[in-house]
């Protein structure tokens, strides 16, 4: 069925007891030794790093992105599996997907239970990810977890500790895995891939600020004062805040800060319905609505736009393209 390269980055799937809690310390070969291989698949391992995923930095994620491209430069590779911690898996997978220009699949997986546990889910997830990487094409970056296949775009961690941890709350399931087969149920929507960014000496700062009752502009202004080149505003409802935050957004945009607008609601798109500080006013002030992307992936979209152009107009254009805003093209729509 093919030659699959497994890029190991740590996470629960590589974690063992450390005396007071679990932490990633196993290398990729140890992780691979826990799982059977689908028939006809050969595996090579790249040990990139081994960390708990909340500790990942933009530098880690850009290193992973470049490593994926380097591996796919070999035409003899049939697909890639990335083992990754679940806490930030949705962010890394989306970053790789935004820059993925190859028909071969890159499949992220991990586990909710540490390696070596009797009821561990890592071996099955890894087997399913290998099978998915070997048998699918043209779907972009995928997540294989708990017998399900998800598109990277829009998929978030929806369960803190339960095994079926990932879903796209705004879309139907992409696929299922069982009995040695992968069944794909729909075609994911993806914008045209971005060019591979350079590795900046200091990645741009992108902060996330959430609105709530009694929320004011202090944290948004503090992010800008701290040097943020991008801010994701997490609004209420369909993407709403207050007139004071609208003023702060307008001031930030005037300083060249890229502002994206998402919502703290689990499912559904950001929508321009309300004024008096709502999405109507926030978008008019320069915030870019993120559709159904939530905070973590919206932040990755802003980061990719900042890395993709040197000027404000170019960054705004890229952000609109990445988000599938009106006038851009979504492949598979």
């Amino acid at each position: 069925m093919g030659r699959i390269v497994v890029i190991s980055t740590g996470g629960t799937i590589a974690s063992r007891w450390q005396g007071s809690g679990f932490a990633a310390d196993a290398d990729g070969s140890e992780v691979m030794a826990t799982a059977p291989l689908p028939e006809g698949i050969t595996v090579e391992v790249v040990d990139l790093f081994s960390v708990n995923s909340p500790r990942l930095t933009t530098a880690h994620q850009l290193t992973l992105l470049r490593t994926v491209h380097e591996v796919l430069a070999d035409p003899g590779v049939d697909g890639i599996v990335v083992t990754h911690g679940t806490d930030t898996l949705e962010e890394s997978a989306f970053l790789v997907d935004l820059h993925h220009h190859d028909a071969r699949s890159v499949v992220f997986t991990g586990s909710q239970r540490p390696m070596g546990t009797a009821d561990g889910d890592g071996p099955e997830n890894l087997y399913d990810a290998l099978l998915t990487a070997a048998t699918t094409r043209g779907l972009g970056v995928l997540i294989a977890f708990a017998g399900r296949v998800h598109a990277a775009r829009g998929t978030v961690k929806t369960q803190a500790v339960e095994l079926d941890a990932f879903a796209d709350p705004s879309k139907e399931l992409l696929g299922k895995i069982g009995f040695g087969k992968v069944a794909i149920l729909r075609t994911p929507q993806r914008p045209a891939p971005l060019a591979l960014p350079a590795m900046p000496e200091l990645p741009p700062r992108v902060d996330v600020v959430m609105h709530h009752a009694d929320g004011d502009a202090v944290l948004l202004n503090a992010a800008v004062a701290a040097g943020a080149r991008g801010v994701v505003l997490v609004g209420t409802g369909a993407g709403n805040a207050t007139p004071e935050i609208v003023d702060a957004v307008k001031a930030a945009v005037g300083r060249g800060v890229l502002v994206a607008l998402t919502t703290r609601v689990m499912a559904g798109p950001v929508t321009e319905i309300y004024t008096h500080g709502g999405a109507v006013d926030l978008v008019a002030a320069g915030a870019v609505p993120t559709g159904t992307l939530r905070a973590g992936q919206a932040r990755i979209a802003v980061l990719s736009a900042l890395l993709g152009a040197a000027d404000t107009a170019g960054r705004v254009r890229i952000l609109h393209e990445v988000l599938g805003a009106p006038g851009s093209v979504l492949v598979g729509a």
Side-chain angles (χ1 to χ4, degrees):
M1 291 170 63
R3 175 183 162 213
I4 306 299
V5 174
V6 175
I7 302 175
S8 178
T9 70
T12 301
I13 197 169
S15 290
R16 290 185 282 232
W17 185 250
Q18 305 295 314
S20 59
F22 291 94
D25 72 351
D27 63 26
S29 296
E30 292 177 281
V31 173
M32 280 303 310
T34 67
L37 296 182
E39 185 177 356
I41 288 178
T42 61
V43 168
E44 299 169 21
V45 176
V46 174
D47 279 306
L48 197 57
F49 31 79
S50 185
V51 297
N52 293 354
S53 69
R55 295 178 56 202
L56 287 185
T57 64
T58 297
H60 281 119
Q61 292 173 317
L62 290 175
T63 298
L64 171 60
L65 173 62
R66 298 191 76 84
T67 301
V68 166
H69 280 242
E70 289 165 2
V71 169
L72 290 176
D74 181 350
V77 172
D78 293 295
I80 291 176
V81 168
V82 179
T83 57
H84 196 290
T86 58
D87 283 7
T88 56
L89 185 152
E90 65 202 56
E91 299 174 40
S92 298
F94 186 53
L95 176 66
V96 176
D97 189 56
L98 287 178
H99 299 82
H100 188 55
H101 55 77
D102 199 289
R104 291 169 289 179
S105 293
V106 177
V107 184
F108 279 68
T109 196
S111 70
Q112 290 284 76
R113 294 176 181 162
M115 68 181 302
T117 55
D119 58 352
D121 56 325
E124 182 177 355
N125 286 344
L126 185 49
Y127 178 96
D128 286 351
L130 291 167
L131 184 66
T132 303
T135 59
T136 61
R137 291 289 183 274
L139 300 175
V141 176
L142 304 172
I143 297 168
F145 216 94
R148 299 172 183 267
V149 182
H150 308 280
R153 183 186 186 93
T155 296
V156 297
K157 188 173 183 181
T158 57
Q159 292 286 343
V161 294
E162 295 298 324
L163 299 188
D164 191 2
F166 288 91
D168 181 343
S170 299
K171 292 282 195 309
E172 296 178 354
L173 181 65
L174 182 69
K176 298 179 180 180
I177 310 164
F179 301 99
K181 295 183 179 180
V182 180
I184 300 300
L185 307 176
R186 63 179 178 86
T187 301
Q189 297 179 340
R190 301 177 63 233
L194 300 175
L196 189 66
M199 285 288 287
E201 184 175 340
L202 183 65
R205 180 182 181 118
V206 182
D207 287 324
V208 177
V209 177
M210 179 178 285
H211 182 54
H212 50 81
D214 270 346
D216 57 26
V218 169
L219 294 180
L220 196 154
N221 290 334
V224 175
R229 302 307 304 151
V231 174
V232 176
L233 174 61
V234 184
T236 58
N240 305 306
T242 67
E244 293 77 16
I245 291 180
V246 170
D247 291 341
V249 167
K250 186 174 182 179
V253 170
R255 296 176 59 174
V257 177
L258 200 55
V259 179
L261 175 63
T262 185
T263 172
R264 69 187 198 184
V265 180
M266 181 176 294
V270 172
T271 308
E272 295 172 63
I273 302 172
Y274 298 103
T275 184
H276 290 185
V280 170
D281 301 332
L282 289 165
V283 172
V288 180
T290 63
T292 59
L293 291 187
R294 291 327 189 234
Q297 293 192 340
R299 182 185 171 278
I300 292 297
V302 172
L303 173 68
S304 292
L306 291 170
L307 292 172
D311 62 294
T312 299
R315 291 168 173 173
V316 171
R317 175 184 54 78
I318 291 172
L319 183 57
H320 277 281
E321 292 173 355
V322 164
L323 296 172
S328 63
V329 176
L330 278 175
V331 178

